[in-house]
Amino acid sequence: MSRAAAARVGATSRAVAGRGGPLTGTRHLARLILRRDRVLLPIWVLVIAALPASYAATYAELYPTAAQRAGYLATTASNPSVEALLGPAYGDSVGALAAQRAGLLHLIVGLISLLVVVRHTRTEEEAGRRELLGATVLGRAAPLAAALLVTYAADLLLGLLVAGGLVATDLPAAGSVAFGLSVTLAGMFFATVGALAAQLTESAGAARGLGLAALGVAYLVRLAGDAGGVEWLSRLSPLGLAQRTHPYTSERWWPLAVLAGLTALVGALASRLAARRDLGAGVLPQRLGPATAGAALAGPLGLAWRLNRVALIGWTVGAAALGAVLGGAAEAAGGAVDGNETVARMMERLGGTASVAEAYLGATLSITALAAAGYGIQAALRMRAEETAQRAEPVLATGVSRPRWLLGHLVFALLGPAVVLVVTGLATGLAYGLSTGDVAGRVPRLTGAALAHVPAVWVLVGVAVLLFGLLPRVSVGVAWATLAACLLLGQLGAVLELSQWLLDLSPFTHTPQVLGGPVPRTPLLALTAVAAALSAAGLLAFRRRDLPS
């Protein structure tokens, strides 16, 4: 190469490099992320933002006097099982009780924020789209910065809406702001944890697993500290710090400052690693797999098991822990409504039994069923992930037919939630039976009550399968939106006084409450038939459409 040519190449390189720094293109990538998540982000922000205000309105209606709230605090809110699940209550005001009831929001928002960041960093890199964008004038730090910017903005908007909704229910502004900020910073911290996990691993699955493990450890540390009354142990957890603001009692702001500092430190580490590692590589070396595949991978069912086993095991272990906590808190929940006829009638209506403790368990199992439906939808949408990653096409190019491949995934999408609910019922019945001295009688009753929700869960799985076969491009967003709508109708339908026909749109509205009475077969068979019809329609649509679509 001549000196003149070399000079021209050098000048061109300097010109291109001078067009921007490491953050060049961040704004455009953020707009792309917002466009891709234009359905999911607003749904989860709005649904979660409405929950704390609904809890406050419910407590104000059910416990209107200070004496009633003090009794609830002494019998239920301070129960070790309740504190382990939700966190401690720092007072008997409506706001303090509502803040405790909404304690799981820190975990939920952290989970969603973590997954969003992994989706727009490591998943994009694994799919090869990051490399295509990197070939343009795009700063090296722009993809990570854009993912964090959008997630941080969503968390901040969520915190503002939470605080505004609580203020709208006539709660003090200081406590509302403190709780809203705690939700925001919990989401921001675990979003940054997701960013760090994306730098450490080479695959999106490993990044999600590492991030979820960090979230699980944080929850277990907080749970152990709150259940045992060990304050310093709870403070070691980011989730414990987020709940140490003491909203509506004596607001403390230093835990939020500590959480913000930890977020900055983890973010700085993630940014440094992103700048130093190679594209497509992770800081942690990837373990080599066996040279030959095992016999379990000989067919589509074995492949589906390989893809879904980690999630199924994690959900099952979590269900067992949740069931044990719910069963341990049931007796305290029954004692909390002594003398409160309004609460007793409501719980009996929800649970379908004259036992308030069992009615409480019936109501909480309904919420657990929504979580199990989340796993079912995740397993069903795994087919779409395999298709978009171009891993389904090579499998279907062999002797594996489309129906066999789809049915292999459908087995786990349908049976997985059933396993989760059975384990939840067993653990709940065992814990409740130990507290009442009647294990043999409580375990089958609670297990049956949990199984009664399986057909409703299958309906949502059928919706996901139908969307995958008929409208694959919008299947992910619409399937999760359907679950969010069921959550909204179940948790806020009565508070918002929605029409019955609107509540009937949720399959969980038609699930019979079998505790304390006979098991009606008609609604269970009808829901199962609807789920089968939806799944069959999805299979037929998948056989007819192009791949990939």
Side-chain angles (χ1 to χ4, degrees), residues 24-230:
T24 300
T26 300
R27 179 170 60 88
H28 298 290
L29 282 181
R31 291 179 59 188
L32 177 62
I33 293 173
L34 288 173
R35 177 173 175 79
R36 293 183 62 192
D37 287 353
R38 62 187 180 275
V39 175
L40 286 179
L41 276 180
I43 287 175
W44 75 259
V45 167
L46 294 176
V47 170
I48 294 176
L51 292 177
S54 70
Y55 296 150
T58 301
Y59 277 117
E61 178 182 358
L62 298 181
Y63 303 99
T65 67
Q68 289 176 327
R69 292 193 297 272
Y72 176 83
L73 176 64
T75 56
T76 299
S78 59
N79 180 274
S81 296
V82 175
E83 289 194 347
L85 177 65
L86 303 176
Y90 296 106
D92 59 7
S93 66
V94 170
L97 296 178
Q100 184 201 32
R101 179 65 181 83
L104 282 180
L105 292 189
H106 300 93
L107 176 68
I108 295 172
V109 174
L111 171 64
I112 295 174
S113 301
L114 186 153
L115 295 178
V116 168
V117 171
V118 173
R119 163 180 160 83
H120 292 291
T121 52
R122 177 52 68 176
T123 301
E124 293 295 290
E125 197 168 328
E126 186 180 15
R129 291 185 289 266
R130 166 70 176 85
E131 188 173 6
L132 291 176
L133 292 174
T136 65
V137 182
L138 184 69
R140 186 176 181 86
L144 180 60
L148 288 176
L149 178 64
V150 171
T151 310
Y152 285 173
D155 290 330
L156 180 59
L157 176 61
L158 173 61
L160 293 174
L161 291 176
V162 166
L166 291 171
V167 171
T169 58
D170 297 328
L171 294 180
S176 301
V177 171
F179 184 77
L181 282 177
S182 70
V183 173
T184 293
L185 286 171
M188 287 182 173
F189 176 80
F190 285 103
T192 315
V193 169
L196 178 60
Q199 312 313 313
L200 294 175
T201 60
E202 293 187 15
S203 69
R208 284 191 292 269
L210 188 60
L212 292 176
L215 181 64
V217 169
Y219 180 71
L220 289 176
V221 171
R222 200 278 303 161
L223 183 150
D226 290 338
V230 185

Side-chain angles (χ1 to χ4, degrees), residues 429-448:
L430 180 61
Y432 183 44
L434 290 174
S435 66
T436 60
D438 184 20
V439 174
R442 306 298 184 182
V443 169
R445 287 166 63 87
L446 270 300
T447 304

Side-chain angles (χ1 to χ4, degrees), residues 273-301:
L273 294 178
R276 296 171 65 92
R277 67 176 179 84
D278 293 333
L279 183 65
V283 175
L284 301 177
Q286 191 169 20
R287 183 174 61 88
L288 295 178
T292 58
L297 290 177
L301 184 62

Side-chain angles (χ1 to χ4, degrees), residues 377-414:
I377 292 174
Q378 177 188 1
L381 293 178
R382 183 68 194 227
M383 295 183 290
R384 180 58 181 168
E386 293 295 295
E387 181 183 4
T388 55
Q390 299 182 352
R391 292 189 292 265
E393 194 170 6
V395 174
L396 295 175
T398 65
V400 177
S401 64
R402 291 195 183 194
R404 282 188 64 200
W405 181 77
L406 186 145
L407 290 174
H409 286 276
L410 192 58
V411 166
F412 292 94
L414 294 176

